[in-house]
Amino acid sequence: LRMPVVEVAGYEADDTIATLARQAVEKGLKVVVVSADKDLLQLVTDDVLVLNPGREGSGSTLYGRAEVAEKFGVPPERVVDVLALVGDAVDNVPGVPGIGDKGARDLIREYGTLEGALDHADQVKRAAYRLGLLEHRADALLSKRLVTLRTDVPVALDLEALRCLGVDRVRAHALFTELEFTALA
């Protein structure tokens, strides 16, 4: 397909994307990250948007600051706090047991940050949330570290190297045929 690929050994793709987005903004560019990964919504600023292409036939969603706030109930810079409380079993992010999406949003809106919620855990009205915060402080802080994207990956933004050269239709067709991707072929 002659599409450029950027890989940095020892670093996750999300961190590489976050680093390249930061570098692009520093060069005065506007960025659109195309991904369905909710972790990338923490990158949204006035200069960085995230386009979730949606599943087949479901349509895409372009996330700016307002759309992230609507989806998460918090601004993009607080998405990590919500994700840290909720956790993610697929990504081995423990979160805080007993706190789901709604509870996490409510806590972050009330206390501002994960650390704020943890520091005021003894004042949290709902018993399950209070207990979870008090008993799982270390898990919550670990979760925040795990979901926070790094922007210091050792990679340099090279716009020329990222230029898409267009599909080599003959080679693509041959590959799709070989792999029995008949719909794509």
Side-chain angles (χ1 to χ4, degrees):
L1 299 178
R2 299 186 343 154
M3 293 179 73
V5 175
V6 177
E7 293 179 293
V8 182
Y11 293 89
E12 293 195 20
D14 289 355
D15 296 325
T16 303
I17 292 166
T19 299
L20 292 171
R22 177 189 54 80
Q23 291 176 13
V25 169
E26 288 172 354
K27 290 183 181 221
L29 301 171
K30 301 284 186 182
V31 176
V32 177
V33 175
V34 180
S35 176
D37 187 341
K38 66 184 177 296
D39 292 356
L40 289 166
L41 294 176
Q42 67 188 270
L43 298 177
V44 171
T45 65
D46 293 336
D47 297 314
V48 179
L49 304 175
V50 173
L51 177 65
N52 180 333
R55 297 192 184 270
E56 290 181 42
S58 70
S60 60
T61 304
L62 184 63
Y63 287 96
R65 293 184 61 78
E67 292 78 15
V68 171
E70 184 179 324
K71 179 178 177 64
F72 276 89
V74 298
E77 51 274 13
R78 296 283 60 96
V79 166
V80 293
D81 298 291
V82 171
L83 294 175
L85 284 168
V86 174
D88 187 341
V90 173
D91 287 337
N92 293 314
V93 177
V96 176
I99 299 179
D101 289 331
K102 183 185 179 317
R105 292 173 184 149
D106 291 345
L107 287 166
I108 298 309
R109 277 196 300 267
E110 184 168 351
Y111 297 104
T113 64
L114 171 66
E115 293 79 5
L118 291 169
D119 291 345
H120 295 90
D122 59 335
Q123 300 167 22
V124 172
K125 292 177 186 102
R126 189 163 177 174
Y129 297 172
R130 184 174 57 250
L131 259 146
L133 291 169
L134 290 169
E135 294 178 2
H136 297 276
R137 180 182 184 91
D139 286 340
L141 293 171
L142 169 64
S143 296
K144 186 167 181 177
R145 280 196 311 277
L146 291 172
V147 298
T148 299
L149 297 180
R150 296 181 58 178
T151 59
D152 62 347
V153 172
V155 61
L157 178 64
D158 179 352
L159 294 175
E160 275 308 308
L162 294 177
R163 200 171 289 285
C164 187
L165 301 175
V167 176
D168 180 332
R169 297 182 70 76
V170 172
R171 289 180 62 206
H173 186 269
L175 177 64
F176 294 158
T177 301
E178 175 188 337
L179 297 175
E180 299 179 11
F181 294 168
T182 51
L184 291 174

